[in-house]
Amino acid sequence: GAGVSQTPSNKVTEKGKYVELRCDPISGHTALYWYRQSLGQGPEFLIYFQGTGAADDSGLPNDRFFAVRPEGSVSTLKIQRTERGDSAVYLCASSLGQTSADTQYFGPGTRLTVL
Amino acid sequence: AQRVTQPEKLLSVFKGAPVELKCNYSYSGSPELFWYVQYSRQRLQLLLRHISRESIKGFTADLNKGETSFHLKKPFAQEEDSAMYYCALKSTGNTPLVFGKGTRLSVIA
């Protein structure tokens, strides 16, 4: 079946602009995670949704970052007033969300470049 | 605090040689440990997890709680094993993964 998809695959924007990154999880997966991967680093957690609600947003770096999942499926990560330090690959993952053993399946990522 | 350390950024081995990718962790409790792999131009994917105690593509990893390690091993490296490998941990429940910085494995023919 179809895996996790993310759009766009690449996004170039200017400092100060607003961007939205989209994640389509695997159908039926109730848990959805956003991670950010900077150059030379492993993925770092941003926010986790269980259904429509954000169960853990402790990884969001500041209030410029916000994410929604209004219908419990697609999620959008929103970044306001982008800064050059926001440049990274943004990864989305989903899992069944039923048990601790559920595997997190990752999307291909969105590479964000802030000029 | 939860932390995963992968001390090697790059590991180069010859085809047929044994491979060991090191992973140490810091966690107060009983974590779940994973190895994820990212092949060139592909997405991050699960390789194996300690609770399964299985061998995938010839790789194994044993959780050593005394040394807080979860090293990944393969007795005979293959060229197709060349990839980026990430060690990760999570607490029980539907919780996010904490990743190490990754080790790039290069298998030389």
Side-chain angles (χ1 to χ4, degrees), chain B residues 35-108:
Chain B
W35 277 98
Y36 276 79
V37 61
Q38 188 166 27
Y39 300 102
S40 180
R41 301 182 191 280
Q42 294 188 26
R43 64 186 66 191
L44 200 58
Q45 58 185 282
L46 178 67
L47 179 62
L48 54 80
R49 58 202 313 166
H50 89 272
I51 58 173
S52 301
R53 301 186 64 82
E54 57 193 344
S55 174
I56 303 293
K57 298 185 179 183
F59 285 98
T60 58
D62 289 319
L63 178 60
N64 185 323
K65 292 186 178 180
E67 295 182 358
T68 59
S69 68
F70 188 55
H71 303 327
L72 183 68
K73 300 178 184 179
K74 184 169 182 176
F76 307 104
Q78 302 299 314
E79 289 178 75
E80 55 265 31
D81 296 329
S82 295
M84 198 72 188
Y85 290 81
Y86 294 95
C87 182
L89 69 77
K90 64 185 281 293
S91 56
T92 55
N94 288 303
T95 54
L97 293 161
V98 176
F99 286 89
K101 292 186 176 183
T103 297
R104 180 170 297 282
L105 175 64
S106 177
V107 181
I108 307 163

Side-chain angles (χ1 to χ4, degrees), chain A residues 3-4 33 35 37 40-43 45 48 50 56 95 97-104 106-108, chain B residues 9 32 34 36 38 43-46 49 51 86 90-102:
Chain A
V4 178
Y33 305 79
Y35 295 85
Q37 186 170 21
Q41 305 293 317
F45 167 70
Y48 153 55
Q50 182 62 45
D56 183 353
S95 71
Q98 294 173 359
T99 73
S100 175
D102 293 335
T103 298
Q104 291 186 28
F106 282 81
Chain B
K9 288 185 68 171
E32 298 180 23
F34 305 81
Y36 276 79
Q38 188 166 27
R43 64 186 66 191
L44 200 58
Q45 58 185 282
L46 178 67
R49 58 202 313 166
I51 58 173
Y86 294 95
K90 64 185 281 293
S91 56
T92 55
N94 288 303
T95 54
L97 293 161
V98 176
F99 286 89
K101 292 186 176 183

